[in-house]
Amino acid sequence: MRTLALCLVICLVALSASAPVLAIEVAIRKPAFGEPALGVVELIAEVSSPRGISSVEAFVDGRSAGRLEAPPFRWTLEVGEENVQHRFEVVAEDAAGETARDVVITAAIRVDQEIDVELQQLYVTVRRGGAAAHDLERGDFTVVDDGVEQELVTFERGDVPLVALILIDASDSMRGERLALALAGAESFVEQMARLDQAMLLLFADAVAHATPFTGFRQVLTSGLERATAGGGTALSDHLYAALKLLEGRQGRPVVILLSDGVDTTSVLDFDDVEWAARRSQALVYWLRLRLAERPGAFSSAWRDGAGHRRQLARLEELVRRSGGRTLKLGGVGDATPAFREILEELRGQVVLGYYPQPRRNDGRWRRVKVKAGPGVEVRAREGYVDY
Amino acid sequence: MNRRVLALLLLSAAAAGAQETFVDWTELADVLVADGPAVVRLPTAALILNGQPGGAIGVAALATPLPLGGAKLRVSVMVQIDAAALAAGGGAVGGATGLDVYVYALGPGDMVADVATQSLTVEAARRDAKRGLKVLTALDLAPGEYSLRVLASHRDSGAGGLDVQAFAVPALDGERAILTPWLLEPAELWLVALPPGGAAQVQIRPVVDASGLKLPAARPALAAGETVAACLLVRPGPPPWKLRAWLEDRAGVRAEAPLDLREHRLAPWLGLEMLLVSLRVPDLPTGAYSLQVSLESSEAEALVSPPLAVDVDAADAAPSIVVLPGAEVSAYVNRPRRRVLPRDDLSTRYRQALQQLAEGDAAAAREMLIDLEERADRSAPGAIFKELEDIQWRLLSELSERSWSALLPVTLLHADLTAEYRRRGAAALAEHSTRFSRRLAATLARRAGTPGERADAARALIDLAGRLLAAGRSGESVELFELALELDAASAAALGLAVSLERLGRYPAAVAALERLVEIDPAHAEGRLRLALNLGRLGKTGRSRPLLESLIADVTPQWVAVLAFQEMARIAMRENRLEAAIAALGMALERWPEQPGLRLQRAYLLDRAGRAIEARSLVARLVASPNGAAEAPRERYNRWPEGAVEAARRELAARAERRRAELAQALAAGGP
């Protein structure tokens, strides 16, 4: 009898264990807990209930961000550029009126990754024997600022998040397949960005032809590109200035990647103006330099004669070099994809050095900076900054 | 002019024209990279050292020594193998052909001076889609005489082909030099194989000319009477110098190949320059010849290039493959050719074309003229084209003696052909049309007597100058616009002249032309704007400012007013009056709030004024509302004044139409 009772209890326990779950369930899949959320963010939730879903509502920092009645439960949200934590909440209700919720709190980026107004940061590319040198430590670097050796207070490797502005020439010279190949290159860059990296894609001719917000969300960066077309003049200086300006004050390591033949035909800003902005920017500028299109008059405009165009090309190369970036000459626009990858790889291999410049003058003068890293190491970093 | 000055001039001319001489191999659509070096086996080496030219696989090689600055020269060797021969040799495994290529240079006493080998795998689909394979490799050789031996062999079947040629590596250390001529063929016809180490070591690269990317042909097969494109690598020495080309048969008999210099550019190898020429193949019987080019100077002894082996086929139908003893090599050009044009036909056919024009069938006239000129271009001997030009000119001179007006429709006819020839890729014919219509327009100008005739001649010149300006040939358009302006004080000519001068950076001359324009038409808004901007470029803001103010105050096209505001702001900024500049743009933005150029310029000025956050916000708003569709005012300014030129062209066409009867009378008066 005792045996029979025991069997009955075991059977009841087993039955209760295999009974279907009757509760409604919600889980936020994206963003992840503790991950920083800036700019455009995608919120994804999974919701299940045996009785069917009636509605699912998303909240950001207590404000409703929209209600959906059927899957997929995804929202694309703009949470602003402020480096603060956010509270994402999803509340679901099923056909029986049962509710469930899930909450994710995202974090602000660590303060030591921000650009401090006092802290001077240098993004340094180091190579030895033609390959990235990954084995260098803080002690291997010497920074001389305005003739004075500085004490390094921060040392980071290339995982400091990037904030990249990809600036693509969509003028007349990029018609047809050339633009498509350039965009494929940019997409390959976006696809390989790390979790906290952000980018903005800006296509320009004589005006902005297409622009995305700054985001790490790839679909936002690539959506609508299939409709992009090339045409018109090239206002390169104008849009390079705009790119530097848009990166100003953003969290992360600022980078401009320009893809163009470099011939400016319509800018209202002079190159002096762009140089002025570049000297005040922390951004590394990379130029994927396309060969000039083979067309008559490609090198002539009413705004600048041939000699003027050539001078400007040389000055652009110089601006790129001074920023700590580099010019990659492309044989053809088909080389854009490997070139974008090469840049990303280079950025990943960089070290970030931080120091408090001594003495501090705040006099608006240019301070020349020199970085050394021992014998046999090739170092590339921006050449200086305006002290203000 | 010394050599240094000439080099600088050439350098600046090359850069100004934005003409790239060579491009990377990566520009080609179909390039494969060799798997690695081929293993040299004893039987292979023996075959190379002792073997006779020929074999199952047709193979030809072109060697080009290039100076690198050291004691040795880098000899780029292009080994060419025809697709059919490659397939016929067997050895295809799983749809791919394994091929080994060996290049040996034997010096005195048959000692091996250098060797290069490559092992390739060519997929059948890629192989068959092309005319054949061009394998690039290189040897490093000191100046001297060599025997160049090239063997290609199928890895699996062992079938092979050998090419043996005497080859001299020049020292290339003198002031003058000329290398083996390259006859060019379209790159897309060939599959190119680069060595495993990459393109850098082979040094030579595809050539860019008006019709695309070209590669040299290792063993060209030419059609008698056709015109071919060639590239000469030279150090020409101090000018003046001239070029002469000829084909020589095996008995040493020479036939001149008339040669025209098309372009002169710098080459990327120490001190070498590149001459792009067109060469007319003389009317020769089918056979093997060698092509040589001489560089002749009154100051020094003539330099003769090393020979290039070519085959001439005089048959009427163009073959695609020329069969050579023991080997097959690809043809140089595979395009339909026409029969040789009898000289007697030239005059009759040209007259018939003009007759069609006189009868009102301009389309038929145009087709007949194109047919005639194309035939003449391809006919042998080369002088026939010059003869056609002379015949055309003689007839037109006669017609113009009878009636000045008869030339008007003919000028338009020839001018229209330029664009058509460009569309067809016939650069030489397009150039002929341009040259010929310029000559006609100049004649019209010279002989114009009445004010009406002078106005018509000016229109013809404006039409032609506008076409040249649109083609980026501002230097030539200046001359024609100036001539037009002398004939008739038309605003279109003055505006065209100013735009041409602006593009050339000749701002003081542009100001003079614009002053003339404003004198002719004081209300010309575009002319006043251009005058203000060019005065600004010369620092004459005192004169520029009132002009800009008047443009802002008057009712002017929007693009003119926007640019006037922008220039006002630029002047204020240069004078360190940032707030005045910002205010000027603020006023402009009130009228055109969506103008991106105005918003961007204002953002920059705010930034300069220390209002960085306002500047950033303005830039952010600018990118949030893309405005790529509308033409920007600065792009409009950049455009050549096509409206004005088109008006002149329309008027010219209408007047030419009315002159058809006079053309018919003039033709009839001359007899059949």
Side-chain angles (χ1 to χ4, degrees), chain B residues 419-437:
Chain B
E420 177 59 25
Y421 285 136
R422 286 210 189 287
R423 197 185 61 74
R424 295 177 181 213
L429 287 172
E431 202 48 48
H432 159 73
S433 287
T434 303
R435 198 173 57 236
F436 200 73
S437 35

Side-chain angles (χ1 to χ4, degrees), chain A residues 241 245 268 291 296 302 331-332, chain B residues 27 471 537 570 607 634 638:
Chain A
Y241 166 76
K245 205 66 202 156
V268 62
R291 214 164 51 80
Chain B
E27 287 284 290
R537 279 169 168 151
R570 284 163 62 92
D607 214 0
R634 298 179 77 80
N638 217 8

Side-chain angles (χ1 to χ4, degrees), chain A residues 18-222:
Chain A
S18 63
V21 177
L22 299 176
I24 177 171
E25 289 186 349
V26 182
I28 295 178
R29 297 293 177 216
K30 207 176 165 188
F33 183 84
E35 179 181 273
L38 292 161
V40 179
V41 174
E42 189 180 36
L43 170 62
I44 302 175
E46 275 181 17
V47 183
S48 64
S49 167
R51 295 176 290 270
I53 309 297
S54 161
S55 73
V56 180
E57 187 165 10
F59 296 86
V60 181
D61 300 329
R63 291 193 309 275
S64 174
R67 182 193 292 267
L68 296 171
E69 289 176 357
F73 299 110
R74 286 167 182 257
W75 296 263
T76 303
L77 310 167
E78 169 67 59
V79 297
E81 293 298 335
E82 214 178 335
N83 183 21
V84 293
Q85 68 173 36
H86 293 285
R87 185 177 193 276
F88 294 87
E89 183 176 4
V90 173
V91 179
E93 186 179 342
D94 67 11
E98 291 289 320
T99 61
R101 70 185 62 227
D102 191 20
V103 174
V104 162
I105 309 286
T106 59
I109 298 176
R110 285 199 342 257
V111 172
D112 62 0
Q113 290 176 356
E114 291 187 28
I115 300 167
D116 192 302
V117 287
E118 296 287 331
L119 184 73
Q120 188 63 37
Q121 285 194 305
L122 292 172
Y123 309 115
V124 184
T125 304
V126 275
R127 298 176 75 79
R128 190 191 289 118
H134 294 296
D135 55 346
L136 297 170
E137 298 297 336
R138 181 190 300 214
D140 295 319
F141 290 92
T142 309
V143 173
V144 178
D145 181 325
D146 222 12
V148 179
E149 189 170 330
Q150 305 289 321
E151 184 193 345
L152 296 182
V153 294
T154 63
F155 177 83
E156 302 274 349
R157 296 204 184 274
D159 47 6
V160 173
L162 295 173
V163 54
L165 200 144
I166 303 171
L167 190 58
I168 292 186
D169 182 345
S171 66
D172 215 28
S173 61
M174 294 292 290
R175 276 187 193 278
E177 202 193 11
R178 283 169 73 85
L179 181 63
L181 289 169
L183 293 176
E187 283 185 49
S188 77
F189 182 92
V190 166
E191 275 161 21
Q192 291 181 38
M193 289 194 323
R195 200 166 54 91
L196 298 182
D197 291 343
Q198 291 207 332
M200 172 180 190
L201 194 57
L202 199 157
L203 275 60
F204 72 98
D206 33 45
V208 174
H210 175 93
T212 69
F214 277 103
T215 178
F217 182 20
R218 285 155 206 172
Q219 277 163 287
V220 172
L221 288 168
T222 55

Side-chain angles (χ1 to χ4, degrees), chain B residues 5 42 296 323 432 479 526 630:
Chain B
V5 173
L42 200 57
E296 297 176 0
V323 180
H432 159 73
E479 197 185 309
E526 181 172 349

Side-chain angles (χ1 to χ4, degrees), chain B residues 353-390:
Chain B
L354 297 188
Q355 197 65 50
Q356 291 286 345
L357 184 65
E359 287 166 13
D361 194 346
R366 190 181 144 106
E367 281 310 307
M368 285 180 77
L369 188 51
I370 289 173
D371 184 63
L372 173 65
E373 292 187 341
E374 278 187 344
R375 280 168 185 246
D377 186 40
R378 291 181 184 176
S379 287
I384 203 156
F385 198 82
K386 176 78 180 70
E387 200 169 320
L388 171 65
E389 204 167 309
D390 290 344

Side-chain angles (χ1 to χ4, degrees), chain B residues 360-638:
Chain B
D361 194 346
R366 190 181 144 106
E367 281 310 307
M368 285 180 77
L369 188 51
I370 289 173
D371 184 63
L372 173 65
E373 292 187 341
E374 278 187 344
R375 280 168 185 246
D377 186 40
R378 291 181 184 176
S379 287
I384 203 156
F385 198 82
K386 176 78 180 70
E387 200 169 320
L388 171 65
E389 204 167 309
D390 290 344
I391 287 169
Q392 288 175 324
W393 191 246
R394 242 188 338 265
L395 178 58
L396 293 177
S397 298
E398 282 172 27
L399 295 179
S400 69
E401 291 295 330
R402 289 175 210 135
S403 162
W404 178 93
S405 309
L407 283 194
L408 262 191
V410 184
T411 306
L412 209 57
L413 173 68
H414 280 278
D416 280 343
L417 287 194
T418 303
E420 177 59 25
Y421 285 136
R422 286 210 189 287
R423 197 185 61 74
R424 295 177 181 213
L429 287 172
E431 202 48 48
H432 159 73
S433 287
T434 303
R435 198 173 57 236
F436 200 73
S437 35
R438 279 180 69 163
R439 202 171 163 190
L440 275 167
T443 305
L444 277 171
R446 208 172 40 249
R447 296 196 181 167
T450 67
E453 285 175 354
R454 289 169 69 84
D456 278 346
R459 285 188 193 100
L461 287 163
I462 291 169
D463 172 43
L464 198 55
R467 293 173 202 250
L468 289 167
L469 180 55
R473 295 165 67 166
S474 313
E476 293 163 76
S477 63
V478 163
E479 197 185 309
L480 298 185
F481 279 128
E482 274 174 344
L483 193 52
L485 203 53
E486 276 173 29
L487 285 170
D488 184 35
S491 58
L495 183 57
L497 176 60
V499 172
S500 306
L501 291 165
E502 245 184 337
R503 283 176 177 268
L504 294 169
R506 293 169 57 187
Y507 303 125
V511 164
L514 290 160
E515 281 170 338
R516 181 88 192 274
L517 167 60
V518 174
E519 193 185 299
I520 297 165
D521 181 1
H524 202 294
E526 181 172 349
R528 284 156 63 207
L529 174 74
R530 285 184 189 268
L531 178 57
L533 262 60
N534 281 288
L535 285 167
R537 279 169 168 151
L538 300 176
K540 297 179 177 176
T541 47
R543 287 185 59 202
S544 171
R545 197 180 290 114
L547 271 168
L548 294 169
E549 283 166 354
S550 71
L551 285 166
I552 290 166
D554 292 355
V555 178
T556 49
Q558 181 184 321
W559 73 271
V560 170
V562 167
L563 291 185
F565 270 114
Q566 285 192 325
E567 188 61 14
M568 289 281 282
R570 284 163 62 92
I571 291 173
M573 198 193 95
R574 280 202 291 272
E575 293 170 349
N576 222 11
R577 295 183 297 114
L578 278 178
E579 288 307 324
I582 292 167
L585 291 172
M587 278 167 61
L589 278 165
E590 276 175 24
R591 284 165 73 176
W592 307 287
E594 298 306 318
Q595 269 294 332
L598 291 172
R599 290 157 86 184
L600 194 109
Q601 192 180 5
R602 187 156 197 266
Y604 173 72
L605 291 169
L606 288 168
D607 214 0
R608 289 300 296 255
R611 293 154 69 179
I613 294 169
E614 281 177 78
R616 197 160 67 219
S617 148
L618 200 53
V619 172
R621 287 209 301 276
L622 179 73
V623 298
S625 53
N627 185 18
E631 187 181 44
R634 298 179 77 80
E635 178 65 356
R636 168 61 189 83
Y637 185 89
N638 217 8

